[in-house]
Coordinates of all heavy atoms in Angstrom, one line a residue:
N254 N 90.6 7.3 69.0 CA 91.1 7.6 70.3 C 91.9 8.9 70.4 O 92.6 9.3 69.4 CB 92.1 6.5 70.7 CG 91.4 5.2 71.1 OD1 91.6 4.1 70.5 ND2 90.6 5.2 72.1
S255 N 91.8 9.6 71.5 CA 92.6 10.8 71.8 C 93.3 10.5 73.1 O 92.8 9.9 74.0 CB 91.7 12.0 71.9 OG 91.2 12.4 70.7
A256 N 94.6 11.1 73.2 CA 95.4 10.8 74.3 C 96.4 11.9 74.6 O 96.6 12.8 73.7 CB 96.2 9.5 74.2
L257 N 96.9 12.0 75.8 CA 98.0 12.9 76.1 C 99.1 12.1 76.7 O 99.0 11.2 77.6 CB 97.5 13.9 77.2 CG 98.6 14.9 77.7 CD1 99.0 15.9 76.7 CD2 98.0 15.6 79.0
L258 N 100.3 12.2 76.1 CA 101.5 11.5 76.5 C 102.2 12.4 77.5 O 102.6 13.5 77.3 CB 102.4 11.2 75.3 CG 101.8 10.5 74.1 CD1 102.9 10.2 73.1 CD2 101.1 9.2 74.6
V259 N 102.5 11.8 78.7 CA 103.1 12.5 79.8 C 104.3 11.7 80.3 O 104.2 10.5 80.6 CB 102.1 12.8 81.0 CG1 102.7 13.8 82.0 CG2 100.8 13.3 80.4
T260 N 105.4 12.4 80.5 CA 106.6 11.7 81.0 C 106.6 11.7 82.5 O 105.9 12.5 83.2 CB 107.9 12.4 80.5 OG1 108.0 13.8 81.1 CG2 107.9 12.6 79.0
K261 N 107.5 10.8 83.1 CA 107.6 10.8 84.5 C 108.1 12.1 85.1 O 107.6 12.6 86.1 CB 108.6 9.7 84.9 CG 108.7 9.5 86.4 CD 109.6 8.3 86.8 CE 109.6 8.1 88.3 NZ 110.0 9.3 89.1
K262 N 109.0 12.7 84.4 CA 109.5 14.0 84.8 C 108.4 15.1 84.9 O 108.4 15.9 85.9 CB 110.6 14.5 83.8 CG 111.3 15.8 84.2 CD 112.4 16.1 83.2 CE 113.1 17.4 83.6 NZ 114.2 17.8 82.6
Q263 N 107.5 15.1 83.9 CA 106.4 16.0 83.9 C 105.4 15.7 85.0 O 104.9 16.6 85.7 CB 105.7 16.0 82.6 CG 106.6 16.7 81.5 CD 106.1 16.4 80.1 OE1 105.4 15.3 79.8 NE2 106.3 17.3 79.1
L264 N 105.2 14.5 85.3 CA 104.3 14.1 86.4 C 104.9 14.5 87.7 O 104.1 14.9 88.6 CB 104.0 12.6 86.3 CG 103.1 12.1 85.2 CD1 103.1 10.6 85.1 CD2 101.7 12.6 85.4
D265 N 106.2 14.3 87.9 CA 106.8 14.7 89.1 C 106.7 16.3 89.3 O 106.4 16.7 90.5 CB 108.3 14.3 89.1 CG 108.5 12.8 89.2 OD1 107.5 12.1 89.6 OD2 109.6 12.4 88.9
K266 N 106.8 17.0 88.3 CA 106.6 18.5 88.4 C 105.2 18.8 88.8 O 105.0 19.7 89.6 CB 106.9 19.1 87.0 CG 108.4 19.2 86.7 CD 108.6 19.9 85.3 CE 110.0 20.0 84.9 NZ 110.2 20.7 83.6
L267 N 104.3 18.2 88.2 CA 102.9 18.4 88.5 C 102.6 18.1 90.0 O 101.9 18.9 90.7 CB 101.9 17.5 87.7 CG 101.7 17.9 86.3 CD1 101.1 16.8 85.5 CD2 100.8 19.2 86.2
E268 N 103.2 17.0 90.5 CA 103.0 16.7 91.9 C 103.6 17.8 92.8 O 103.0 18.2 93.8 CB 103.6 15.4 92.2 CG 103.3 14.8 93.6 CD 103.8 13.4 93.8 OE1 104.3 12.8 92.9 OE2 103.8 13.0 95.0
R269 N 104.7 18.3 92.5 CA 105.4 19.3 93.3 C 104.6 20.6 93.3 O 104.6 21.3 94.2 CB 106.8 19.6 92.8 CG 107.8 18.4 93.1 CD 109.2 18.9 93.0 NE 109.6 19.3 91.6 CZ 110.0 18.5 90.7 NH1 110.2 17.2 91.0 NH2 110.3 18.9 89.5
M270 N 103.9 20.8 92.2 CA 103.1 22.1 92.0 C 101.7 21.9 92.5 O 100.8 22.8 92.4 CB 103.1 22.5 90.6 CG 104.4 23.2 90.1 SD 104.3 23.9 88.5 CE 104.5 22.4 87.4
Q271 N 101.4 20.7 93.1 CA 100.0 20.4 93.7 C 99.0 20.5 92.6 O 97.9 21.0 92.8 CB 99.7 21.4 94.8 CG 100.7 21.3 96.0 CD 100.3 22.2 97.1 OE1 99.1 22.3 97.5 NE2 101.3 22.9 97.6
L272 N 99.3 20.0 91.4 CA 98.4 20.0 90.3 C 98.1 18.6 89.8 O 99.0 17.7 89.9 CB 99.0 20.8 89.1 CG 98.9 22.3 89.1 CD1 99.7 22.9 88.0 CD2 97.4 22.7 89.0
D273 N 96.9 18.4 89.3 CA 96.6 17.1 88.6 C 96.7 17.4 87.1 O 96.5 18.5 86.6 CB 95.1 16.8 88.9 CG 94.7 15.5 88.4 OD1 94.4 15.4 87.2 OD2 94.8 14.4 89.1
V274 N 97.1 16.4 86.3 CA 97.2 16.6 84.9 C 96.0 17.1 84.2 O 96.1 17.9 83.3 CB 97.7 15.2 84.2 CG1 96.7 14.2 84.3 CG2 98.2 15.5 82.8
W275 N 94.8 16.7 84.8 CA 93.6 17.2 84.2 C 93.4 18.7 84.4 O 92.7 19.4 83.6 CB 92.4 16.5 84.8 CG 92.4 15.0 84.5 CD1 92.6 14.0 85.3 CD2 92.1 14.4 83.2 NE1 92.6 12.8 84.7 CE2 92.3 13.0 83.4 CE3 91.9 14.9 81.9 CZ2 92.1 12.1 82.3 CZ3 91.7 14.0 80.9 CH2 91.8 12.6 81.1
D276 N 94.1 19.3 85.4 CA 94.0 20.8 85.6 C 94.5 21.5 84.3 O 94.1 22.6 84.0 CB 94.8 21.2 86.8 CG 94.2 20.7 88.1 OD1 93.0 20.5 88.1 OD2 95.0 20.5 89.1
L277 N 95.5 20.9 83.6 CA 96.2 21.6 82.5 C 95.3 21.7 81.3 O 95.6 22.4 80.3 CB 97.4 20.8 82.1 CG 98.5 20.7 83.2 CD1 99.7 20.0 82.7 CD2 98.9 22.1 83.8
F278 N 94.1 21.0 81.3 CA 93.2 21.1 80.2 C 92.4 22.4 80.2 O 91.8 22.7 79.2 CB 92.2 19.9 80.2 CG 92.8 18.6 79.7 CD1 93.7 17.9 80.5 CD2 92.4 18.1 78.5 CE1 94.2 16.7 80.1 CE2 92.9 16.9 78.1 CZ 93.9 16.2 78.8
E279 N 92.5 23.1 81.3 CA 91.7 24.4 81.4 C 92.5 25.5 80.7 O 93.7 25.4 80.4 CB 91.5 24.7 82.9 CG 90.7 23.7 83.6 CD 90.4 24.2 85.1 OE1 91.2 25.0 85.6 OE2 89.4 23.7 85.7
Q280 N 91.8 26.6 80.4 CA 92.4 27.8 79.9 C 93.4 28.4 80.9 O 93.2 28.2 82.1 CB 91.3 28.8 79.5 CG 90.4 28.3 78.3 CD 89.3 29.2 78.1 OE1 88.5 29.5 79.0 NE2 89.1 29.8 76.9
D281 N 94.3 29.2 80.4 CA 95.4 29.7 81.3 C 94.8 30.4 82.5 O 95.3 30.1 83.7 CB 96.3 30.6 80.6 CG 97.2 29.8 79.6 OD1 97.1 28.6 79.5 OD2 98.0 30.5 78.9
H282 N 93.9 31.3 82.3 CA 93.4 32.1 83.5 C 92.7 31.2 84.5 O 92.8 31.5 85.7 CB 92.5 33.2 83.0 CG 91.2 32.8 82.5 ND1 91.0 32.4 81.2 CD2 90.0 32.8 83.1 CE1 89.7 32.1 81.0 NE2 89.1 32.3 82.1
K283 N 92.0 30.2 84.0 CA 91.3 29.3 85.0 C 92.3 28.4 85.7 O 92.2 28.1 86.9 CB 90.3 28.4 84.2 CG 89.1 29.2 83.7 CD 88.1 28.2 83.0 CE 86.9 29.0 82.6 NZ 85.9 28.2 81.9
L284 N 93.4 28.0 85.0 CA 94.4 27.2 85.6 C 95.1 28.0 86.7 O 95.3 27.5 87.9 CB 95.4 26.8 84.6 CG 96.7 26.1 85.1 CD1 96.4 24.8 85.9 CD2 97.7 25.8 84.0
T285 N 95.5 29.2 86.4 CA 96.2 30.0 87.4 C 95.3 30.4 88.6 O 95.8 30.4 89.8 CB 96.8 31.3 86.8 OG1 95.8 32.0 86.2 CG2 97.9 31.0 85.8
T286 N 94.1 30.6 88.4 CA 93.1 30.9 89.4 C 93.0 29.6 90.3 O 93.0 29.7 91.6 CB 91.7 31.3 88.9 OG1 91.9 32.5 88.2 CG2 90.7 31.5 90.0
R287 N 92.8 28.5 89.7 CA 92.6 27.3 90.5 C 93.9 27.0 91.4 O 93.8 26.7 92.6 CB 92.4 26.1 89.6 CG 92.3 24.7 90.3 CD 92.4 23.6 89.3 NE 91.2 23.5 88.5 CZ 90.1 22.8 88.8 NH1 90.1 22.1 89.9 NH2 89.1 22.7 88.0
L288 N 95.0 27.2 90.7 CA 96.3 26.9 91.5 C 96.5 27.9 92.6 O 97.0 27.6 93.7 CB 97.4 27.0 90.5 CG 98.8 26.5 91.0 CD1 98.8 25.1 91.6 CD2 99.9 26.5 89.9
T289 N 96.2 29.2 92.3 CA 96.3 30.2 93.4 C 95.4 29.9 94.6 O 95.8 30.0 95.7 CB 95.9 31.6 92.8 OG1 96.8 31.9 91.7 CG2 96.1 32.7 93.9
H290 N 94.2 29.5 94.3 CA 93.3 29.1 95.4 C 93.8 27.9 96.2 O 93.7 27.8 97.4 CB 91.9 28.7 94.9 CG 91.0 29.9 94.6 ND1 90.3 30.6 95.6 CD2 90.7 30.5 93.4 CE1 89.7 31.6 95.0 NE2 89.9 31.6 93.7
K291 N 94.4 27.0 95.4 CA 94.9 25.7 96.1 C 96.1 26.0 97.0 O 96.2 25.4 98.1 CB 95.2 24.7 95.0 CG 95.6 23.3 95.5 CD 95.9 22.4 94.4 CE 94.7 21.9 93.7 NZ 94.9 20.8 92.7
I292 N 97.1 26.8 96.5 CA 98.3 26.9 97.3 C 98.5 28.2 98.1 O 99.4 28.3 98.9 CB 99.5 26.8 96.3 CG1 99.6 28.0 95.4 CG2 99.5 25.5 95.5 CD1 100.8 28.1 94.4
S293 N 97.5 29.1 98.0 CA 97.6 30.3 98.8 C 97.4 30.0 100.2 O 96.6 29.2 100.7 CB 96.4 31.3 98.3 OG 96.5 32.5 99.1
G294 N 98.2 30.8 101.0 CA 98.1 30.6 102.5 C 96.9 31.3 103.1 O 96.7 31.1 104.3
I295 N 96.2 32.1 102.4 CA 95.1 32.8 102.9 C 93.8 32.4 102.1 O 93.9 32.0 101.0 CB 95.3 34.3 102.9 CG1 95.5 34.8 101.4 CG2 96.4 34.7 103.8 CD1 95.6 36.3 101.3

């Protein structure tokens, strides 16, 4: 089995940042690109 342990505090941060925990599995540049597209006003 493989797993990721996530605390409630970390899950709350993810929610505030409009991220899903699975987003964090991506490489940094893909993560920041995805997040920029998601939260950008344009």
Side-chain angles (χ1 to χ4, degrees):
N254 284 122
S255 284
L257 177 69
L258 307 181
V259 190
T260 66
K261 184 180 184 303
K262 183 178 179 182
Q263 289 166 333
L264 288 170
D265 290 343
K266 285 181 181 179
L267 283 167
E268 187 175 354
R269 289 196 297 271
M270 286 187 278
Q271 300 179 45
L272 279 172
D273 185 276
V274 67
W275 296 109
D276 293 334
L277 301 183
F278 283 73
E279 295 183 339
Q280 293 170 304
D281 288 359
H282 71 279
K283 291 183 178 179
L284 171 62
T285 55
T286 296
R287 178 193 289 269
L288 188 54
T289 302
H290 279 282
K291 185 179 286 189
I292 65 176
S293 179
I295 59 175

